[in-house]
Amino acid sequence: MKKIGILFGMEDTFPWAFIDRVNELGNGEIIAEPVSIDKLEQGADYGYAVIIDRISQDVPFYRAYLKNAAVNGTYVINNPFWWSADEKFFNNALMTKLGVPLPKTVLLPSYQRPENTQETSFRNMKFPLDWDYIFGYVGFPCYMKPHDGGGWRNVYRCENPQDLWDKLSETGELVMMVQEEIVFEDYYRVYCLGRKYVHIMPYEPRNPHHLRYATTHQTAGKAREKLLKQIEDLTLKMNEALGYDFNTVEFAVRDGIPYAIDFCNPAPDADRNSVGEENFAWIVEHSAKFAIEKAREYKPGKPNIPWGTFVRDSVK
């Protein structure tokens, strides 16, 4: 018998549905359960073939637990080593090399100096920044968001330079990136599992959170078919490069072109109450199916850490 664990926090619909579905499909040979931790000894194997991680971004102890599990051969979804190293601005930089359409983006240093630094710590920075270039390149209105954040936290829409500077003054030590606003005629959020299962969902980010999936396609006919095929191909390409097995990608469609807006969501929303019954059923079914696939491949003690093509190609 092989065990699949799921590590989670406040969410209360997806984890239990996932556990139930794995136990239905596993036929007693593969079982799923919440991960239970009463100690963490260095190098100890706690017996999971697969663990799905839904919470370690908020709990550093869990991230350490998952790295220890990976050393013992557990297939962790998503790779905790890569997740620790990854951030949104790097993702954007990588996607420029893959030909993915992106909003114009610039990184800004933090408004406040990080703790334990002094003015001389920034001797390599040129002040003032080249604001004329930045504003001309990105344009207004624009969006400002943390370069490594998520969950729509600390996201600002800036109308003009003064508005941007005023909002930047509220960000403290956060490193922010500024992005061109894509005025879109259609918008999609896309689940990608195992870098092979893709589920494209119409999405309206301007709606209240619980109504963002309560929308439909704005593109019709052959144009929609072409658009959805392009979105699927881009989603697979991006996740193959990054190495994520459980991720969402968001696309804003302008003039028929899907611009990748957000694609670093390794613990994406999967709550029945927000994503809706159809999307919830898809993510439960396919996450259970994929986890069982990886559990069948599990061999105790054999390293089984998934890496994307960016890392794999870098070490050849």
Side-chain angles (χ1 to χ4, degrees):
M1 185 176 64
K2 295 179 177 179
K3 289 197 303 180
I4 295 173
I6 182 165
L7 195 63
F8 62 102
M10 292 183 291
E11 64 176 337
D12 218 23
T13 57
F14 171 73
W16 302 111
F18 168 82
I19 289 168
D20 289 344
R21 189 57 179 147
V22 169
N23 289 333
E24 290 170 1
L25 297 174
N27 296 318
E29 298 174 0
I30 297 173
I31 65 167
E33 64 182 28
V35 172
S36 180
I37 305 168
D38 62 0
K39 58 185 173 298
L40 178 53
E41 177 189 339
Q42 58 186 3
D45 186 353
Y46 294 103
Y48 289 104
V50 175
I51 296 177
I52 289 189
D53 172 21
R54 303 285 296 161
I55 189 63
S56 77
Q57 72 277 9
D58 296 325
V59 184
F61 176 85
Y62 288 158
R63 185 65 57 85
Y65 177 91
L66 292 167
K67 290 177 179 178
N68 186 81
V71 166
N72 285 288
T74 300
Y75 192 92
V76 180
I77 304 170
N78 285 289
N79 178 346
F81 300 98
W82 178 243
W83 197 347
S84 293
D86 193 22
E87 41 83 1
K88 291 180 184 294
F89 185 75
F90 164 76
N91 285 181
N92 274 61
L94 177 58
M95 295 309 142
T96 66
K97 308 307 177 186
L98 299 180
V100 176
L102 300 164
K104 298 171 184 176
T105 304
V106 173
L107 193 68
L108 303 179
S110 59
Y111 182 80
Q112 293 179 357
R113 291 201 302 260
E115 189 177 357
N116 297 323
T117 65
Q118 300 180 18
E119 186 174 344
T120 52
S121 302
F122 294 85
R123 67 177 75 220
N124 298 104
M125 292 290 302
K126 185 176 180 180
F127 293 104
L129 299 179
D130 191 347
W131 291 110
D132 288 340
Y133 175 84
I134 293 170
F135 296 153
Y137 176 65
V138 174
F140 288 99
C142 64
Y143 282 89
M144 184 167 59
K145 63 181 74 169
H147 85 301
D148 61 351
W152 291 83
R153 292 187 294 269
N154 303 109
V155 176
Y156 301 86
R157 187 175 188 269
C158 305
E159 300 288 343
N160 52 56
Q162 188 61 53
D163 189 33
L164 185 147
W165 286 321
D166 290 344
K167 289 169 179 172
L168 185 63
S169 71
E170 301 172 8
T171 61
E173 294 183 13
L174 294 175
V175 175
M176 306 295 285
M177 59 187 199
V178 181
Q179 288 191 318
E180 170 193 13
E181 179 182 45
I182 303 296
V183 180
F184 57 86
E185 60 260 17
D186 216 346
Y187 201 100
Y188 291 92
R189 198 167 211 230
V190 187
Y191 278 129
C192 188
L193 281 171
R195 289 167 269 171
K196 58 182 177 179
Y197 301 122
V198 174
H199 182 60
I200 301 173
M201 303 170 285
Y203 189 75
E204 178 47 84
R206 294 168 296 198
N207 282 350
H209 182 77
H210 67 290
L211 294 175
R212 288 180 181 174
Y213 295 90
T215 185
T216 188
H217 302 275
Q218 303 302 310
T219 307
K222 293 291 184 182
R224 182 198 295 177
E225 292 180 18
K226 179 182 177 182
L227 174 64
L228 296 184
K229 180 63 167 64
Q230 188 176 5
I231 285 173
E232 180 176 1
D233 291 346
L234 287 171
T235 296
L236 290 170
K237 177 190 285 190
M238 296 162 76
N239 281 281
E240 187 60 38
L242 294 168
Y244 284 126
D245 283 317
F246 196 145
N247 194 15
T248 53
V249 180
E250 293 183 19
F251 292 95
V253 182
R254 182 178 69 187
D255 299 328
I257 299 172
Y259 289 83
I261 300 297
D262 190 12
F263 36 94
C264 183
N265 295 292
D269 182 14
D271 183 75
R272 170 186 270 126
N273 300 308
S274 58
V275 305
E277 288 295 335
E278 181 182 348
N279 298 326
F280 182 75
W282 188 93
I283 195 64
V284 169
E285 182 69 20
H286 287 79
S287 59
K289 180 179 178 180
F290 179 65
I292 288 172
E293 290 173 10
K294 302 314 294 186
R296 294 194 192 284
E297 298 172 3
Y298 169 72
K299 294 178 181 173
K302 180 182 177 182
N304 195 16
I305 301 169
W307 296 100
T309 55
F310 171 74
V311 173
R312 295 203 305 269
D313 293 347
S314 298
V315 297
K316 286 181 179 178

